[in-house]
């Protein structure tokens, strides 16, 4: 009888082991551990946000990370290429121009030069005229002197330390001027001074009477027009000068 019980016990153990290893079918599910641990359920925080990385049926396969979303690049803004502004018909670069003038000249001389500029330089109507009057001019004068006497007298004046220059006085002749003055009184005072220094043959003369003059001005000449004007003026072109700047 004892042998039978031992045999039955061995058979029961063998059957239980076969059932647990699945040889006799799927074993029953294990009891849920959570059911026996209610305190762990109370400690969970937002369990619904839990996501399985390897859901059932995909065990052993690594889950590939979801690539980040790429923002669409904004459409390219069309760029406008700079274009050359067309030059309007008939427009040409303005050539540099300058103002030129002659010094005040006696009327007849100025008018002759104006006619030359109009006819020879093709500058008709391009000039302006400013009339004026040169005041009378007085000299402390030694003369008239012959050519041979001029050299000797100049040497004597240099020894006396007196400034002088050679002049040609209309109606009087060549001589030496010891000073130029705008009034007769100023000239006579200067004469008294040189007489005190030993000059006895000096005298006061009028170098010129009041003279009516013209100042010719060409206000807007190009370089080519200036060259033509110089040619037309001849030797007087040496006195041609740029107009003085006017205050703004």
């Amino acid at each position: 009888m004892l042998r039978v019980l031992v045999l039955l016990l061995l058979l029961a153990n063998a059957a239980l082991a076969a059932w647990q290893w699945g040889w006799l079918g799927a074993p029953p599910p294990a009891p849920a551990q959570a059911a026996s641990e209610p305190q762990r359920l109370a400690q969970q925080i937002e369990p619904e946000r839990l996501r399985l990385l390897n859901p059932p049926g995909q065990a052993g396969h690594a889950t590939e990370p979801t690539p980040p979303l790429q923002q669409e690049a904004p459409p390219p803004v069309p760029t406008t290429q700079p274009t050359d502004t067309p030059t309007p018909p008939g427009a040409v670069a303005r050539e540099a121009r300058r103002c030129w003038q002659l010094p005040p000249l006696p009327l007849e001389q100025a008018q002759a030069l104006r006619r030359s500029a109009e006819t020879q330089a093709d500058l008709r109507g391009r000039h302006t005229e400013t009339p004026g009057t040169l005041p009378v001019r007085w000299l402390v004068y030694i003369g008239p002197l012959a050519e041979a006497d001029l050299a000797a007298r100049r040497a004597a004046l240099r020894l006396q330390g007196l400034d002088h220059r050679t002049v040609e006085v209309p109606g009087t002749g060549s001589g030496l001027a010891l000073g130029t003055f705008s009034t007769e009184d100023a000239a006579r005072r200067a004469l008294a001074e040189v007489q005190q220094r030993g000059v006895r043959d000096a005298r006061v003369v009028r170098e010129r009477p009041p003279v009516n003059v013209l100042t010719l001005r060409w206000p807007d000449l190009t370089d080519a027009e200036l060259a033509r004007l110089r040619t037309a003026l001849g030797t007087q072109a040496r006195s041609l000068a740029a107009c003085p700047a006017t205050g703004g």
Side-chain angles (χ1 to χ4, degrees), residues 137 139 141 167-175 203 205-209 211:
R137 191 158 61 188
L139 299 176
Y141 173 77
V167 294
E168 184 73 30
V169 178
T172 302
S174 297
R203 58 194 173 110
V205 299
R206 188 174 68 174
E207 181 183 16
R208 72 175 183 213
V211 179

Side-chain angles (χ1 to χ4, degrees), residues 41-79:
L41 291 177
Q43 293 176 356
Q44 291 181 358
I45 300 174
E46 298 182 356
E48 67 276 3
R49 299 183 61 179
L50 183 65
R51 181 170 62 87
L52 296 178
L53 296 180
N54 292 321
Q58 297 183 3
H61 298 281
T63 303
E64 296 182 359
T66 303
L69 296 178
Q70 295 183 355
Q71 296 182 353
E72 294 184 0
V77 178
T79 57

Side-chain angles (χ1 to χ4, degrees), residues 10 18 24 37 83 91 101 113-114 122 124 141 205 245:
L10 291 174
L24 301 180
E37 297 180 355
T83 57
Q101 70 177 30
L113 292 173
R114 181 199 63 198
D122 194 22
R124 185 179 301 275
Y141 173 77
V205 299

Side-chain angles (χ1 to χ4, degrees), residues 135-142 163-169 175-191 193-194 203-209:
V136 63
R137 191 158 61 188
W138 299 87
L139 299 176
V140 174
Y141 173 77
I142 300 175
D163 294 332
H164 57 278
R165 63 185 176 89
T166 303
V167 294
E168 184 73 30
V169 178
L176 298 174
L178 304 183
T180 305
F181 306 91
S182 59
T183 65
E184 184 177 3
D185 289 342
R188 294 198 178 279
R189 288 194 297 269
L191 175 63
E193 292 177 2
V194 298
R203 58 194 173 110
V204 173
V205 299
R206 188 174 68 174
E207 181 183 16
R208 72 175 183 213

